[in-house]
Amino acid sequence: MAQKPLRLLACGDVEGKFDVLFNRVRAIQKKSGNFDLLLCVGNFFGSTPDAEWEEYKTGIKKAPIQTYVLGANNQETVKYFQDADGCELAENITYLGRKGIFTGSSGLQIVYLSGTESVDEPVPGYSFSPKDVSSLRTMLCSTSQFKGVDILLTSPWPKYVGNFGNSSGEVDTKKCGSALISGLATDLKPRYHFAALEKTYYERLPYRNHIVLQETTQHATRFIALASVGNPEKKKYLYAFSIVPMKLMDAAELVKQPPDVTENPYRKSGKEASMGKPIPAPEEESACQFFFDLNEKQGRKRSSTGRDSKSSPHPKQPRKPPQPPGPCWFCLASPEVEKHLVVNIGTHCYLALAKGGLSDDHVLILPIGHYQSVVELSAEVVEEVEKYKVTLRRFFKSRGKRCVLFERNYKSHHLQLQVIPVPLSRCTTDDIKDAFVTQAEQQQIELLEIPEHSDIKQIAQPGAAYFYVELDTGEKLFHRIKKNFPLQFGREVLASEAILNIPDKSDWRQCQVSKEEEEMLARRFRKDFEPFDFTLDD
């Protein structure tokens, strides 16, 4: 069965004309049916008074469609984008962030880069630097499986985009635009690239992303620049299109070449700017976002002498674990901890059987010190958490099971990373993923799929409420909790008929057993786990 296309709208510079834009969107939806998303590039805010925006900000008025916008392109509008990692500006209006990837539950992948090009240091809050572009490129293009992205959103045009193409009108693409964006577009190979700022509409002929007869055929890219909302010349500022996410398309269908396809505009005149040596990423820089930020995991830092920090002659003393503000049921040193449930203790973390678990081997990974969530863990604790994850996967695989992990950082005070084994004979990883997505949709919970190797610490800020689930393949599904969230959601999905088929165990309080039985289960788990116990290694 063919995948149903997503129906999207892209918009140029809004410049504060919110009523004009949203009234136009309402008219289009009334005539043509609802669209899934509105993507805004260029200047979302303008120099107009804030009265109109206040009506949206306070909820008097509401955008008729889920709207995602890029950040500031000038100092005057920086004030509207307080959180560089992205945030909700008003109901149905979300600022994506400075740079990163947005991946919807459909699998649609959108890369975004806010601001204008700058080579100044420090980089102004309304600009991006060569380092920003390099981090995006490195993160996305470092795997051999990378084929491209569905959509690229930038405010400036890419320099040289007019080469080999149809006329770009009064805009001289050899002088106008950003060479950094040209290079980014070359490497990311977006199927659609939207930009604005030049007050005009330009739909370039599609261009190919491969060299004919020398490279394997790849999909084409369509570049569309959009005019300003409500411009007096009535130039096109709203663009409607349908798209099936690349990852869901048949390979032959994806690489079909349009009849009017041209050469890649960045391979010739723009070669020096767009195809030069990649700019080396710094040792430490702000993470690149996945809708709110994502980057490859950083390796261990090296000292200025080039030695690995682990081999330093003066190793840093480990930091003392943070202490809870009051009694805590999960801090290992706390008298409230039910010690008989503890089955393994590492340097920074420990394992405990879950009280009222979904199965006899349902365990928790917990930090020894007081940390509220994964996002707040120090580097050494994160490293040991990952060790426990890998070890538990091996342990459960040896017993014919795969494990599902989830964390709910909402109405909880100490990190509890739930690890639930599911027999391989019960269902596949895709079945588990589908169950989470289906139940989330039924409860109007938006689960975003996070690419493999991503890091929750780069998506959620410390203190932010969220839920995430990690499958045995490393895939993660993430939900940012804004208001209410069902406390037993993770258990309910796994206890459902589609997975473990024990719906009566969705509430842990209905699954409690006697202390004697808990002690027996803990002894059994310790014995079974011992051959896999990395804490026994020298």
Side-chain angles (χ1 to χ4, degrees):
M1 183 177 170
Q3 176 71 25
K4 185 180 178 183
L6 294 166
R7 302 179 75 226
L8 308 185
L9 290 168
C11 177
D13 304 273
V14 180
E15 295 185 332
K17 297 177 182 176
F18 310 112
D19 287 347
V20 174
L21 169 62
F22 293 132
N23 286 339
R24 177 70 180 134
V25 170
R26 286 187 187 93
I28 291 172
Q29 295 201 126
K30 186 175 181 181
K31 180 180 178 181
S32 306
N34 288 340
F35 283 75
D36 296 293
L37 296 176
L38 169 62
L39 309 172
C40 296
V41 294
N43 294 315
F44 188 68
F45 295 98
S47 55
T48 53
D50 284 346
E52 196 172 305
W53 172 242
E54 282 299 315
E55 292 183 307
Y56 288 90
K57 187 177 178 182
T58 56
I60 296 171
K61 291 182 179 178
K62 176 183 171 181
I65 184 173
Q66 186 61 55
T67 304
Y68 292 99
V69 310
L70 294 183
N73 297 294
N74 53 62
Q75 186 61 50
E76 186 182 4
T77 56
V78 168
K79 62 184 180 182
Y80 296 104
F81 305 98
Q82 296 295 319
D83 189 345
D85 293 333
C87 58
E88 187 174 73
L89 301 177
E91 188 172 359
N92 271 1
I93 303 175
T94 301
Y95 163 46
L96 285 165
R98 287 194 63 229
K99 64 182 185 294
I101 309 168
F102 172 92
T103 304
S105 56
S106 63
L108 185 76
Q109 196 172 51
I110 303 172
V111 174
Y112 54 90
L113 180 65
S114 291
T116 55
E117 180 177 330
S118 174
V119 292
D120 297 331
E121 291 287 350
V123 179
Y126 54 85
S127 296
F128 58 84
S129 67
K131 291 176 184 175
D132 292 323
V133 173
S134 179
S135 67
L136 269 176
R137 178 190 292 119
T138 301
M139 175 186 58
L140 284 157
C141 305
S142 56
T143 64
S144 58
Q145 293 82 20
F146 179 74
K147 295 179 180 177
V149 300
D150 290 305
I151 298 171
L152 173 62
L153 302 179
T154 64
S155 286
W157 291 28
K159 202 169 187 178
Y160 310 114
V161 71
N163 287 354
F164 314 120
N166 48 316
S167 171
S168 54
E170 297 178 2
V171 179
D172 184 351
T173 60
K174 289 182 174 63
K175 297 178 181 177
C176 156
S178 163
L180 287 176
I181 290 177
S182 302
L184 188 64
T186 302
D187 293 334
L188 297 192
K189 303 169 190 169
R191 295 164 66 199
Y192 285 87
H193 180 180
F194 293 98
L197 297 184
E198 297 300 330
K199 314 297 183 190
T200 192
Y201 169 69
Y202 172 50
E203 183 169 4
R204 191 203 184 279
L205 292 172
Y207 64 83
R208 57 176 67 96
N209 285 295
H210 62 279
I211 299 173
V212 178
L213 302 180
Q214 293 183 38
E215 297 175 338
T216 305
T217 305
Q218 298 182 47
H219 60 271
T221 293
R222 299 175 187 275
F223 173 77
I224 297 112
L226 294 159
S228 304
V229 169
N231 65 87
E233 298 87 5
K234 300 192 182 300
K235 294 177 180 178
K236 189 169 183 174
Y237 64 82
L238 207 53
Y239 185 92
F241 66 110
S242 296
I243 185 170
V244 173
M246 180 186 293
K247 64 184 291 185
L248 302 178
M249 287 188 70
D250 175 74
E253 188 67 27
L254 176 65
V255 301
K256 272 187 180 177
Q257 301 296 293
D260 53 353
V261 70
T262 76
E263 289 297 326
N264 189 305
Y266 314 122
R267 288 190 187 272
K268 299 287 183 179
S269 301
K271 188 172 183 179
E272 293 80 8
S274 64
M275 301 295 285
K277 292 181 180 178
I279 302 157
E283 286 186 11
E284 186 174 17
E285 60 178 289
S286 60
C288 175
Q289 294 160 229
F290 161 78
F291 184 40
F292 316 103
D293 244 349
L294 98 51
N295 203 342
E296 288 292 303
K297 267 188 191 167
Q298 299 294 322
R300 294 193 296 271
K301 289 186 196 172
R302 291 183 175 272
S303 65
S304 57
T305 61
R307 291 195 302 263
D308 191 298
S309 60
K310 273 200 169 181
S311 61
S312 170
H314 304 292
K316 288 184 180 177
Q317 293 299 314
R319 282 187 297 178
K320 201 174 179 181
Q323 301 302 306
C328 177
W329 288 97
F330 298 103
C331 287
L332 192 56
S334 168
E336 279 80 10
V337 169
E338 297 194 52
K339 299 286 197 299
H340 67 282
L341 292 172
V342 176
V343 292
N344 190 265
I345 302 176
T347 306
H348 306 287
C349 305
Y350 70 99
L351 285 185
L353 282 186
K355 197 168 185 68
L358 281 168
S359 62
D360 291 347
D361 44 7
H362 174 174
V363 294
L364 309 177
I365 303 175
L366 303 125
I368 290 172
H370 189 77
Y371 295 90
Q372 182 171 327
S373 69
V374 163
V375 173
E376 296 177 9
L377 296 179
S378 60
E380 61 269 21
V381 184
V382 169
E383 186 177 351
E384 192 163 274
V385 166
E386 292 302 319
K387 271 189 180 180
Y388 269 119
K389 284 184 187 178
V390 170
T391 304
L392 285 167
R393 286 192 182 108
R394 284 177 48 235
F395 169 65
F396 286 123
K397 186 176 181 182
S398 74
R399 306 176 77 79
K401 301 176 182 180
R402 58 169 55 86
C403 61
V404 181
L405 297 88
F406 70 82
E407 179 199 1
R408 185 199 75 232
N409 184 31
Y410 173 71
K411 294 192 176 180
S412 60
H413 302 287
H414 189 115
L415 166 62
Q416 303 160 55
L417 193 55
Q418 308 271 345
V419 186
I420 299 93
V422 178
L424 295 172
S425 58
R426 282 289 312 165
C427 54
T428 66
T429 301
D430 284 342
D431 292 332
I432 297 171
K433 181 178 176 181
D434 289 345
F436 272 99
V437 171
T438 300
Q439 290 209 33
E441 287 175 350
Q442 290 172 357
Q443 299 188 46
Q444 296 183 314
I445 295 169
E446 184 182 24
L447 276 181
L448 299 175
E449 185 177 341
I450 307 173
E452 197 178 348
H453 307 306
S454 60
D455 189 341
I456 297 298
K457 296 182 81 164
Q458 297 162 332
I459 302 167
Q461 298 299 302
Y466 63 84
F467 170 87
Y468 94 93
V469 58
E470 183 173 340
L471 306 174
D472 60 322
T473 55
E475 294 174 274
K476 300 184 184 77
L477 301 172
F478 176 87
H479 171 67
R480 181 181 286 270
I481 300 172
K482 295 176 182 176
K483 292 181 182 177
N484 297 319
F485 185 79
L487 298 182
Q488 304 296 338
F489 177 71
R491 285 184 66 110
E492 286 171 359
V493 175
L494 292 168
S496 69
E497 186 177 343
I499 310 300
L500 292 172
N501 195 22
I502 45 173
D504 55 318
K505 289 192 173 186
S506 59
D507 187 333
W508 69 273
R509 287 164 294 195
Q510 307 301 318
C511 307
Q512 293 187 75
V513 296
S514 67
K515 183 176 179 181
E516 290 73 21
E517 190 168 349
E518 288 176 338
E519 289 173 338
M520 182 269 292
L521 292 172
R523 283 196 300 271
R524 184 196 301 167
F525 187 94
R526 290 187 201 106
K527 181 181 178 183
D528 292 342
F529 186 70
E530 188 173 356
F532 298 84
D533 186 0
F534 67 85
T535 66
L536 300 177
D537 298 339
D538 291 330

